Amino acid sequence: MKKDEKIIVGISIGDLNGIGAEIIIKTYEDPRSLELNTPVIFASAKTMQFFKNHFSSKINFFNIDSVEKVAHGKVNVVEVWSEPVKIQFGTEDKKIGEYAIKSLEAATEALKEGAIDVLVTAPINKHNIQSEKFNFPGHTDYLAKALNGKSLMFMVSDELRVGLLTDHVPLKDASNAITEGLVKEKITTVTKSLIQDFGIRKPKIAVLAINPHAGDNGVIGNEDDTILKPTLEKIKADGTLVYGPYSADSFFGSNTYKNFDAIIASYHDQGLIPFKTIAFGKGVNYTAGLDKVRTSPDHGTAYEIAGKGIADESSMKQAIYTAIEIFRQRESYNYYSKNPLKKGSR
């Protein structure tokens, strides 16, 4: 266990025309942040110097040509490319998308090799990253292929955790994608994550209905009656504390969500609209279900304010802290699972 060692946090730079670099710099301008972890930014010395100058920052970068040369107590920048990059804040640029992927791939490789302990990803533009080589709708799907496990988008904050049955799929396809096998897989992933990543021994999970009013006994669709309800009963019979399906329209407004350790929404906006309403700026996107820890802020590239120096770094800070907390919790869980007799000495 890395009890007394600093966690090495790898950070992919995201879209250079967005707010990613700004919120990274703001996070580490306070030298006290280096007492908690050692950051490694995957970009280039020239690129980060440009951002330092643009934002009139006093941050000091420590430039390295490989992650193995990381220095604790420094804000490390590993050289992923060396050529100058033309940055135009607020502009969608295919070439900038290529640099975002270079950073992500280098950071992911370092994560796989154990050169960094956790990965925090700055926001990307899902459109300008697309190519023949990279055709994933976002970080989660890419990491699902690059790392071991079954990935799940898990939005987490101090008071709310929301997982998704379907994430980046068109709404018209969401209900057809929800099968008994998918429901079982996602609930298993959420349950395991709550136990090993958040230290909740017997988690309670709520599932939101596919249709309005859970279908009103078939009047507004039958997917809840034919798929969700029987599947949840089977899962519950195995001892998992899962409840629902709940009608989504009143679930959050009535504070019912506070009775559960996690909520599983049937589709993207059903879960993310209430999450971002309740926890925006304090929320974190965590990719649960993988053998490595990855988090990101709960917002996008924010082109409309990019380069203006007014971006709020709160969610980036929280993404870093959450990654560290999950890493520590998972280490502790794995250690005591392998050494059960030592539990009493904690």
Side-chain angles (χ1 to χ4, degrees), residues 184 202 231-241:
K184 287 182 176 179
K202 197 67 176 174
T231 303
L232 296 184
E233 288 301 321
K234 290 178 184 178
I235 296 170
K236 192 182 296 185
D238 291 334
T240 302
L241 300 181

Side-chain angles (χ1 to χ4, degrees), residues 210-231:
I210 299 170
N211 296 305
H213 308 296
D216 263 346
N217 295 315
V219 175
I220 315 176
N222 62 7
E223 290 87 353
D224 293 291
D225 290 326
T226 60
I227 299 172
L228 272 190
K229 288 180 183 177
T231 303

Side-chain angles (χ1 to χ4, degrees), residues 19-30 32-33 120 123 280-284 296-299 302 305 309-321:
I19 64 170
E22 179 185 347
I23 59 178
I24 293 168
I25 287 173
K26 284 181 174 178
T27 296
Y28 286 105
E29 277 180 327
D30 184 346
R32 289 175 299 180
S33 61
V120 179
F280 195 76
K282 299 173 287 185
V284 172
S296 73
D298 67 354
H299 56 73
I305 62 169
I310 59 174
D312 185 347
E313 72 276 18
S314 300
S315 189
M316 172 57 81
K317 280 185 177 180
Q318 194 57 49
I320 292 167
Y321 298 153

Side-chain angles (χ1 to χ4, degrees), residues 48-112:
M48 296 313 297
Q49 186 63 40
F50 166 84
F51 288 117
K52 175 180 177 176
N53 294 342
H54 180 85
F55 294 111
S56 301
S57 174
K58 295 181 180 179
I59 194 169
N60 291 314
F61 294 116
F62 184 74
N63 302 315
I64 54 178
D65 56 18
S66 71
V67 187
E68 287 69 28
K69 296 179 181 179
V70 63
H72 293 290
K74 307 283 187 180
V75 181
N76 298 267
V77 177
V78 65
E79 196 82 355
V80 180
W81 61 83
S82 57
E83 69 274 12
V85 180
K86 185 178 181 181
I87 295 169
Q88 295 177 295
F89 291 112
T91 303
E92 182 177 325
D93 185 334
K94 189 78 173 174
K95 189 67 178 176
I96 291 296
E98 292 175 9
Y99 285 109
I101 296 310
K102 284 183 181 181
S103 174
L104 175 61
E105 289 177 338
T108 302
E109 189 60 31
L111 185 66
K112 289 168 67 175

Side-chain angles (χ1 to χ4, degrees), residues 46-311:
K46 291 177 183 176
T47 302
M48 296 313 297
Q49 186 63 40
F50 166 84
F51 288 117
K52 175 180 177 176
N53 294 342
H54 180 85
F55 294 111
S56 301
S57 174
K58 295 181 180 179
I59 194 169
N60 291 314
F61 294 116
F62 184 74
N63 302 315
I64 54 178
D65 56 18
S66 71
V67 187
E68 287 69 28
K69 296 179 181 179
V70 63
H72 293 290
K74 307 283 187 180
V75 181
N76 298 267
V77 177
V78 65
E79 196 82 355
V80 180
W81 61 83
S82 57
E83 69 274 12
V85 180
K86 185 178 181 181
I87 295 169
Q88 295 177 295
F89 291 112
T91 303
E92 182 177 325
D93 185 334
K94 189 78 173 174
K95 189 67 178 176
I96 291 296
E98 292 175 9
Y99 285 109
I101 296 310
K102 284 183 181 181
S103 174
L104 175 61
E105 289 177 338
T108 302
E109 189 60 31
L111 185 66
K112 289 168 67 175
E113 293 174 353
I116 59 176
D117 296 312
V118 300
L119 171 61
V120 179
T121 58
I124 55 174
N125 178 315
K126 292 181 176 62
H127 183 250
N128 72 13
I129 60 170
Q130 300 302 318
S131 67
E132 289 185 10
K133 182 182 175 184
F134 192 97
N135 56 357
F136 301 93
H139 286 114
T140 304
D141 303 87
Y142 167 73
L143 292 168
K145 185 173 182 180
L147 303 173
N148 295 320
K150 297 283 188 179
S151 69
L152 175 132
M153 183 186 291
F154 205 12
M155 306 299 293
V156 301
S157 72
D158 288 341
E159 60 175 326
L160 179 61
R161 302 181 190 92
V162 176
L164 304 175
L165 289 180
T166 62
D167 42 52
H168 293 133
V169 301
L171 183 57
K172 65 182 178 63
D173 300 329
S175 62
N176 290 332
I178 298 174
T179 63
E180 179 178 329
L182 180 72
V183 175
K184 287 182 176 179
E185 175 191 308
K186 297 299 185 181
I187 291 176
T188 297
T189 300
V190 168
T191 302
K192 182 179 179 181
S193 180
L194 290 171
I195 295 170
Q196 74 169 13
D197 299 333
F198 297 93
I200 301 169
R201 291 190 176 183
K202 197 67 176 174
K204 291 175 62 179
I205 300 168
V207 179
L208 301 183
I210 299 170
N211 296 305
H213 308 296
D216 263 346
N217 295 315
V219 175
I220 315 176
N222 62 7
E223 290 87 353
D224 293 291
D225 290 326
T226 60
I227 299 172
L228 272 190
K229 288 180 183 177
T231 303
L232 296 184
E233 288 301 321
K234 290 178 184 178
I235 296 170
K236 192 182 296 185
D238 291 334
T240 302
L241 300 181
V242 60
Y243 303 89
Y246 290 95
S247 179
D249 59 353
S250 60
F251 186 84
F252 293 93
S254 64
N255 288 330
T256 305
Y257 73 91
K258 293 183 178 180
N259 299 323
F260 299 95
D261 298 302
I263 319 302
I264 298 181
S266 288
Y267 54 91
H268 186 277
D269 284 8
Q270 186 190 59
L272 266 66
I273 289 174
F275 180 86
K276 291 189 177 184
T277 300
I278 294 169
F280 195 76
K282 299 173 287 185
V284 172
N285 181 355
Y286 168 50
T287 305
L290 301 179
D291 63 348
K292 300 289 186 179
V293 177
R294 173 262 173 171
T295 63
S296 73
D298 67 354
H299 56 73
T301 56
Y303 282 155
E304 67 279 4
I305 62 169
K308 297 179 180 179
I310 59 174

